[in-house]
Amino acid sequence: MSDNLIEQLTVDDPADAGAVSTLRERLAGAASAQGLVDVAFRTVETPVGALLVAATETGVVRIAYPAEGHEAVLKSLSLTIGSRVLRDTRRFDDLCRQLDGYFSGRRRHFEVPLDLRLAHGFRLEVLAHLRTIAYGATETYAVAAAASGRPRAVRAVGTACATNPLPLLVPCHRVVRSDGTMGGYLGGLEAKRFLLDLEAAA
Amino acid sequence: MKHPFDQAVTEHGAVVLRVCRAVLGPVEADDAWSETFLSALRAWPDLPDDVNVRAWLVTVAHRKAIDVRRAQGRAAVPVESLPEQPSRPDEQPDAALPDTALWAALAALPTKQRQCVAYHHVAGLPHAEVAAIVGGTAAASRRSTADGIATLRRTYLTEDVSTYV
């Protein structure tokens, strides 16, 4: 019986979990109101897996597939942008609604501010071009290279797609090989197939 | 600190809440928790990478608990109209706080004993770290902790037995 006391003081009470998550929501609100957050994030369940979505004050800065390892991505954002990284579900209400619409075939464009600070140089130019490829359309790596101003940089376009910090919002899944096969995708080929089929059907 | 701050909230959020409840009681604990993590977030990038995060958070919570108590003293001044309090339907004291009797027993302890019990037993810090937070020597912290526990065994556990058996 004497150990009951120590145990009760020490115990991680599961009943506290609800209180802690309420407090975390409130913390996220207060912290962003005070401009203390470098990177806000949450995860979103989608038909192509649980996506990590992360944003700065400027806009959405990163979307990551499970294959990239969400924890590793957060660590890298912490190093490159800032370590005030905080979970914030409400910050992404609008984006989540748009993702819902997209995956149910109702939405063709995303209208959210983007922060493209993680892309540089030619890759940034490629991303800018990718944003002009229409919903449901595809383009070959070669065409994308020419449209980005460097017709011979086909491989570099492949790299730009493979390192796209904002898949879905910057539609690198619409770039395919000239032989008609899909080419690679940072979310896995199954995800790329799913997205192309979704857009073709809508 | 180069690590994401959120990791510290995930790992230590629940413990810090229990520490705040042990030191301040369940009602004021929420505000102290919020102040602690806001202040920790502000300081986070400048924190050395090798610091013991839990001990550091408890130190911040210790200071915030003192602030909350002071603010409470000042808030006793009558005002013309009360600021609007948002209702919190999620906070049902009985359902959410099964340890109410424990916090009540802790509240009856002298401040130093309560702090030492909270930081050593609830937060799990060694006596030397507790001493660094509350002041004095590790031996004095150990004594205060032991005295606090001895009192709790008399007050809390007997209450427990008489109430529930």
Side-chain angles (χ1 to χ4, degrees):
Chain A
M1 170 162 143
S2 55
D3 285 331
N4 274 352
L5 173 61
I6 305 295
E7 224 171 81
Q8 209 176 337
L9 285 165
T10 316
V11 76
D12 215 346
D13 197 329
D16 293 345
V20 172
S21 79
T22 305
L23 285 169
R24 289 182 81 155
E25 292 240 336
R26 218 184 292 168
L27 172 68
S32 66
Q34 293 181 35
L36 288 175
V37 182
D38 295 323
V39 179
F41 75 92
R42 67 164 289 176
T43 50
V44 190
E45 289 298 332
T46 74
V48 290
L51 301 178
L52 174 77
V53 295
T56 63
E57 284 189 347
T58 309
V60 183
V61 74
R62 189 77 165 85
I63 289 191
Y65 280 97
E68 297 180 78
H70 292 174
E71 213 165 294
V73 171
L74 285 175
K75 226 171 208 180
S76 136
L77 292 174
S78 180
L79 286 171
T80 52
I81 298 175
S83 59
R84 287 168 176 147
V85 176
L86 199 59
R87 181 181 296 275
D88 187 344
T89 48
R90 284 184 203 151
R91 165 78 174 76
F92 297 99
D93 282 353
D94 185 34
L95 175 61
C96 288
R97 261 193 303 276
Q98 294 193 29
L99 284 168
D100 258 2
Y102 174 78
F103 282 110
S104 61
R106 282 179 283 116
R107 171 175 283 275
R108 290 163 168 259
H109 309 279
F110 289 102
E111 282 149 25
V112 286
L114 302 185
D115 182 343
L116 286 161
R117 75 171 79 186
L118 297 174
H120 306 278
F122 182 61
R123 289 184 196 175
L124 184 58
E125 284 168 43
V126 173
L127 298 189
H129 167 67
L130 296 186
R131 294 176 73 184
T132 68
I133 306 178
Y135 182 94
T138 57
E139 196 172 283
T140 64
Y141 290 96
V143 170
S148 305
R150 283 170 60 181
R152 294 169 68 180
V154 180
R155 276 180 163 278
V157 169
T159 309
C161 290
T163 59
N164 177 9
L166 290 163
L168 291 173
L169 304 190
V170 176
C172 59
H173 60 275
R174 294 177 193 152
V175 184
V176 296
R177 284 210 187 116
S178 44
D179 64 6
T181 61
M182 279 196 300
Y185 190 53
L186 73 183
L189 284 183
E190 211 178 308
K192 188 169 187 172
R193 167 57 53 207
F194 180 92
L195 298 174
L196 292 175
D197 287 349
L198 170 78
E199 294 188 5
Chain B
M1 257 315 161
K2 296 188 203 73
H3 292 292
F5 179 75
D6 200 74
Q7 214 174 301
V9 190
T10 301
E11 279 171 29
H12 309 295
V15 165
V16 171
L17 181 58
R18 274 183 92 72
V19 167
C20 291
R21 284 175 179 171
V23 173
L24 284 173
V27 177
E28 285 145 321
D30 285 4
D31 284 343
W33 189 96
S34 299
E35 289 298 320
T36 298
F37 278 96
L38 263 182
S39 163
L41 177 63
R42 205 171 278 124
W44 186 252
D46 299 323
L47 193 68
D49 280 321
D50 59 354
V51 90
N52 175 339
V53 173
R54 179 173 294 193
W56 176 70
L57 285 171
V58 171
T59 308
V60 178
H62 171 75
R63 291 194 205 115
K64 291 300 167 189
I66 292 171
D67 290 352
V68 167
R69 269 285 141 81
R70 268 197 210 126
Q72 198 190 24
R74 278 198 299 272
V77 180
V79 287
E80 292 244 335
S81 65
L82 288 166
E84 256 180 65
Q85 290 279 341
S87 65
R88 299 176 192 150
D90 53 310
E91 285 183 1
Q92 296 160 335
D94 292 336
L97 303 167
D99 296 326
T100 308
L102 178 61
W103 308 134
L106 271 157
L109 294 181
T111 304
K112 181 107 173 211
Q113 287 182 21
R114 187 168 64 241
Q115 290 167 344
C116 288
V117 168
Y119 306 154
H120 179 68
H121 285 294
V122 182
L125 302 183
H127 293 295
E129 300 213 31
V130 175
I133 296 170
V134 302
T137 64
S141 288
R142 180 191 297 273
R143 253 193 322 277
S144 289
T145 306
D147 291 347
I149 290 294
T151 305
L152 285 176
R153 283 198 205 289
R154 276 187 285 112
T155 55
Y156 170 61
L157 287 179
T158 44
E159 204 175 284
D160 196 40
V161 168
S162 61
T163 313
Y164 298 109
V165 174

